[in-house]
Amino acid sequence: MDDDLPELTAQMEAAAARLDFEEARALRDKINLIRGGADPQAARVADTEGLARQQPGAMGLGTSRQRVTPPPDWKPPPKPDLKTKGRGRRS
């Protein structure tokens, strides 16, 4: 596993030096897969085209919380009457 990381890192740096940033991005993603615990052979043949880097969210840069969009037919529930809060039925 550790033998593949320096080789992939050298390939990524060579691709970046050639200004082939698409290949460098794919190699970077494969390196991250190996560091995350993936099998090196599986990471080499993995299709990393669909991987997306984390985008800034509603809570700031680097958050994993996404903005929620309700369904088009959703209506908010009615608000409770604050004058009756905490008053139960008395027997």
Side-chain angles (χ1 to χ4, degrees):
M1 176 176 164
D2 295 330
D3 298 337
D4 290 335
L5 287 178
E7 179 184 335
L8 287 173
T9 304
Q11 290 176 6
M12 179 184 68
E13 291 172 357
R18 291 189 314 268
L19 302 179
D20 188 2
F21 298 117
E22 290 297 318
E23 183 180 348
R25 177 205 51 84
L27 289 167
R28 178 204 61 209
D29 292 341
K30 290 176 184 185
I31 290 170
N32 287 336
L33 284 173
I34 292 173
R35 286 182 179 161
D39 179 38
Q41 291 304 102
R44 281 187 178 271
V45 297
D47 180 22
T48 59
E49 192 65 32
L51 295 181
R53 301 209 41 96
Q54 192 173 19
Q55 300 296 320
M59 300 299 291
L61 181 64
T63 183
S64 60
R65 183 176 291 182
Q66 298 177 354
R67 295 181 189 267
V68 178
T69 56
D73 58 343
W74 181 79
K75 293 181 184 176
K79 294 187 177 182
D81 185 7
L82 298 177
K83 293 180 182 178
T84 60
K85 182 178 179 182
R87 295 178 184 240
R89 290 186 170 183
R90 295 187 183 189
S91 342

